[in-house]
């Protein structure tokens, strides 16, 4: 039987025997991830229009030194490293941006341009990708603050109320929680380092947790994109409302 060859020619950038439009996979990543990066950077430095009524933009949560007593720049810059580090070291995003922005490789079985000095993620700066698990711990702390913000978004002068922004913030924190809980490191924490799932009651419980984590993990890419959109749109909505460009609609 003839063997089908789709491997790239070594050392020749872009060479491939693939016949599909492989570059279509990286175009949306360049547009969406690049667009989000530009928007988030502008908003983080803007330092304005991040709060309205009970709504607080996720880019600014937790809100530290809003009165500029000891920090004269945007409060978003004080917390930026946490969410940014978590996303930047995410296993899925690494694959996406290595391909889209570094073209290393541009796609499966497509030639890349690098020479012989390639060390993967074993030397600086890429060795820092191994900090992902620690960024996960930090992300869980951020989630707690964002859940608090989402609950506060239903409180209007102490009374329960619902505005469009309340629902937007709730949807955002649900998607962010799904993204975090579907993390590869969560799956490893729940079910890793075990030789036997069925040996004790505790390991059987971990097996159940591991199956749940695996279910979410299989959808990690989906949650990565949905939560990216939801964070950006939540911030954009609160920015528009607080600047007076649009009005928040109250249902209750
Ligand atoms: S692997 Fe994507 S957040 Fe952990």
């Amino acid at each position: 039987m003839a063997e089908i060859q789709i491997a790239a020619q070594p050392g020749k950038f872009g060479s491939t025997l693939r016949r599909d439009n492989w570059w279509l996979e990286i175009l949306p990543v360049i547009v969406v991830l690049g667009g989000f990066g530009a928007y988030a950077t502008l908003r983080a430095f803007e330092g304005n229009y991040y709060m309205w009524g009970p709504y607080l933009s996720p880019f600014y949560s937790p809100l530290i030194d809003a009165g500029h007593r000891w920090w004269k720049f945007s409060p978003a810059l004080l917390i930026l490293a946490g969410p940014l580090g978590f996303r930047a070291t995410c296993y899925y995003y690494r694959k996406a941006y290595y391909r889209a922005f570094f073209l290393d490789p541009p796609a499966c079985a497509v030639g890349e341009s690098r020479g012989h000095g390639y060390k993967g993620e074993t030397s600086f700066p890429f060795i820092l990708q191994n900090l992902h698990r620690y960024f996960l711990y930090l992300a869980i702390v951020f989630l707690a603050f964002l859940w608090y913000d989402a609950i506060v978004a239903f409180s209007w002068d102490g009374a329960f109320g619902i505005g469009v922004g309340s629902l937007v913030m709730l949807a955002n924190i649900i998607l962010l929680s799904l993204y975090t809980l579907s993390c590869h490191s969560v799956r490893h924490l729940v079910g890793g380092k075990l030789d036997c799932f069925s040996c004790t009651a505790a390991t059987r419980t971990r097996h159940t947790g591991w199956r749940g984590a695996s279910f979410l993990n299989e959808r990690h890419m989906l949650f990565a994109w949905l939560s990216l959109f939801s964070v950006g749109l939540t911030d954009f909505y609160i920015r528009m409302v607080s600047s007076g460009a649009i009005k928040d609609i109250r249902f209750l």
Side-chain angles (χ1 to χ4, degrees):
M1 191 194 290
E3 191 177 313
I4 299 174
Q5 290 268 351
I6 59 166
Q9 292 175 35
K12 198 163 176 206
F13 178 70
S15 69
T16 184
L17 294 176
R18 285 179 62 170
R19 294 181 183 276
D20 61 326
N21 294 326
W22 55 266
W23 44 271
L24 282 179
E25 289 172 22
I26 60 173
L27 270 187
V29 178
I30 294 173
V31 172
V32 176
L33 213 51
F36 179 84
Y39 174 77
T41 305
L42 286 175
R43 282 291 290 137
F45 279 92
E46 188 179 34
N48 223 340
Y49 301 126
Y50 52 79
M51 206 169 189
W52 186 83
Y55 306 155
L56 173 63
S57 162
F59 287 174
Y60 288 79
S61 179
L63 187 56
I64 302 172
D65 196 30
H68 298 288
R69 282 187 295 276
W70 54 270
W71 178 255
K72 59 180 177 170
F73 306 107
S74 163
L77 299 177
L78 288 170
I79 58 159
L80 187 64
L84 180 66
F86 186 51
R87 294 251 174 197
T89 58
C90 164
Y91 289 83
Y92 166 66
Y93 280 119
R94 272 142 76 174
K95 181 188 105 173
Y97 69 71
Y98 283 0
R99 290 184 179 186
F101 293 102
F102 304 160
L103 304 174
D104 190 18
C108 275
V110 177
E112 54 202 316
S113 60
R114 62 178 159 76
H116 298 295
Y118 180 67
K119 293 195 178 72
E121 293 175 341
T122 60
S123 61
F124 187 81
F126 295 111
I127 197 167
L128 297 177
Q129 303 283 27
N130 293 299
L131 294 175
H132 185 62
R133 174 182 294 196
Y134 302 100
F135 278 116
L136 166 68
Y137 301 148
L138 205 52
I140 291 170
V141 175
F142 274 83
L143 271 192
F145 280 109
L146 290 167
W147 268 108
Y148 173 79
D149 295 340
I151 292 166
V152 167
F154 289 84
S155 174
W156 297 81
D157 297 324
F160 179 75
I162 303 176
V164 171
S166 320
L167 300 177
V168 167
M169 289 181 68
L170 182 63
N172 179 48
I173 187 57
I174 290 172
L175 289 171
L176 282 173
S177 301
L178 287 170
Y179 170 59
T180 306
L181 292 175
S182 63
C183 169
H184 293 58
S185 294
V186 168
R187 184 169 176 264
H188 180 73
L189 281 175
V190 174
K193 289 192 176 175
L194 274 183
D195 291 330
C196 174
F197 269 137
S198 58
C199 293
T200 65
T203 54
R204 282 194 288 277
T205 305
R206 285 186 65 180
H207 183 238
T208 306
W210 175 78
R211 287 180 57 186
S214 300
F215 176 84
L216 292 176
N217 182 248
E218 285 167 15
R219 292 152 184 83
H220 189 56
M221 181 179 81
L222 174 69
F223 296 138
W225 287 116
L226 289 180
S227 61
L228 192 81
F229 279 117
S230 75
V231 171
L233 288 175
T234 303
D235 173 78
F236 184 68
Y237 181 81
I238 293 169
R239 193 207 179 284
M240 289 293 104
V241 171
S242 68
S243 67
I246 59 172
K247 280 201 184 317
D248 183 58
I249 298 171
R250 282 281 299 276
F251 303 113
L252 269 180

